[in-house]
Amino acid sequence: MTSFSFVRPRSDAFSAVLYWGGDGPVTPNTADIGAILISSRSLDEYRSMFDLSDDDLSRRILDCPAGAAGFTAVVNRLGGDVTACDTAYSDSDAEHLTVVAAAEAERGNRYIRDHAENYDWTFFADPDEHARVRRQAVRDFAEDIRRHPHRYVAGCLPSLPFPDAAFDLVLSSHLLFSYADRLDRTFHLAAIRELMRVAREELRIFPLVESGSSVRYPYLDELLGDLREDGIESEVVEVGYRFQKGAHYMLVCSRTISPGPEASGESSSI
């Protein structure tokens, strides 16, 4: 029987990893990177990864897992309404999270430099630009979590601390599919169901390949069939983001039957 356990290395509050307890080995692709990486991505990356329009950014958004991305900080600064959710927010104060986020940005950049042949240097010109963008995202995250800690909610998939249909749009990057050697199909299904539970309109997941690989998640068709039985329609959509080779598609999920007026906060009349 498949089992799950959380392993939290004492030295890294962001390394709370849900490891797969099944029979599948850790592949060399993701084994090279070590613990699941906490990334500090920018608003521009989110726009490109998720094909986000200005109208999209005006919706109520959940970013989960958000890690130390600058997305929540910058969109809210521009007048948006974004909530970040991550298991790491329960473990440490803002000062320690900032230190860890900076260290993780450097770890991620080292990995990219060591595996530069696996990346398409289109969105980023080179590893130096990647490092500059990620460091700025850490600074945006650090300032915002100090000033607006309520925007950063501790939570862990597949059980989130939000009511049904709490957000118009849910974004999820670089966990599902990215670590398919550690997170099995059962977890993926449960996590997507939970993300859809809190989404009133739509869920977007990026990318659809493992970290360090250009091969699409092998059980995607079966997973989409399971979701369809739940009344969740899914579409694979190409996006403009070019960085990890082969990682230029997102999964867009929506309900075949939208939540009723009670879930959206609207009143009904007969």
Side-chain angles (χ1 to χ4, degrees):
M1 181 175 67
T2 302
S3 61
F4 299 92
S5 61
F6 278 99
V7 179
R8 286 186 169 86
R10 294 181 182 178
S11 61
D12 189 347
F14 275 120
S15 296
V17 178
L18 188 61
Y19 283 99
W20 177 23
D23 297 328
V26 173
T27 67
N29 294 326
T30 55
D32 287 350
I33 205 167
I36 290 179
L37 183 69
I38 178 67
S39 293
S40 302
R41 292 183 169 84
S42 66
L43 170 59
D44 286 344
E45 287 182 84
Y46 271 69
R47 277 187 175 274
S48 190
M49 292 188 306
F50 293 111
D51 194 24
L52 294 171
S53 65
D54 289 344
D55 286 343
D56 289 329
L57 293 173
S58 71
R59 299 153 83 182
R60 188 176 186 201
I61 298 173
L62 173 67
D63 183 16
C64 179
F71 175 73
T72 295
V74 177
V75 175
N76 285 327
R77 188 187 309 153
L78 295 172
D81 183 0
V82 181
T83 297
C85 182
D86 199 289
T87 184
Y89 305 153
S90 63
D91 286 348
S92 301
D93 60 23
E95 297 303 322
H96 182 62
L97 292 179
T98 297
V99 171
V100 173
E104 285 288 84
E106 298 305 318
R107 180 166 75 95
N109 188 255
R110 286 195 301 272
Y111 177 86
I112 287 162
R113 290 178 188 275
D114 291 343
H115 301 82
E117 70 281 0
N118 294 334
Y119 294 88
D120 179 349
W121 297 101
T122 301
F123 188 89
F124 298 107
D126 52 37
D128 289 339
E129 183 185 6
H130 173 271
R132 288 194 297 273
V133 170
R134 295 296 170 85
R135 288 167 186 158
Q136 180 58 54
V138 170
R139 288 192 288 270
D140 290 334
F141 164 79
E143 178 184 0
D144 199 55
I145 198 171
R146 291 187 188 106
R147 297 181 62 183
H148 306 286
H150 63 281
R151 295 174 178 170
Y152 297 85
V153 179
C156 179
L157 287 168
S159 181
L160 299 177
F162 306 110
D164 294 354
F167 303 93
D168 300 322
L169 174 62
V170 176
L171 307 176
S172 185
S173 81
H174 294 90
L175 177 68
L176 300 176
F177 309 126
S178 293
Y179 293 91
D181 57 336
R182 311 181 196 191
L183 307 174
D184 72 357
R185 181 180 156 190
T186 300
F187 176 82
H188 278 75
L189 181 58
I192 294 174
R193 283 171 171 164
E194 179 67 356
L195 291 167
M196 283 299 298
R197 180 187 67 78
V198 302
R200 187 169 71 88
E201 298 173 4
E202 190 175 88
L203 163 67
R204 300 181 192 181
I205 303 171
F206 179 89
L208 307 184
V209 300
E210 283 190 39
S211 179
S213 169
S214 60
V215 179
R216 188 173 293 181
Y217 179 65
Y219 305 111
L220 186 61
D221 289 342
E222 293 93 329
L223 183 65
L224 300 191
D226 291 337
L227 293 171
R228 196 173 301 115
E229 291 180 2
D230 291 344
I232 298 171
E233 287 299 323
S234 305
E235 180 183 8
V236 174
V237 177
E238 185 171 4
V239 298
Y241 188 65
R242 294 294 187 274
F243 186 40
Q244 180 184 338
K245 289 182 178 178
H248 49 274
Y249 291 89
M250 68 174 170
L251 184 66
V252 180
C253 299
S254 59
R255 290 186 180 84
T256 54
I257 301 176
S258 299
E262 293 82 2
S264 63
E266 300 171 356
S267 60
S268 60
S269 61
I270 299 174

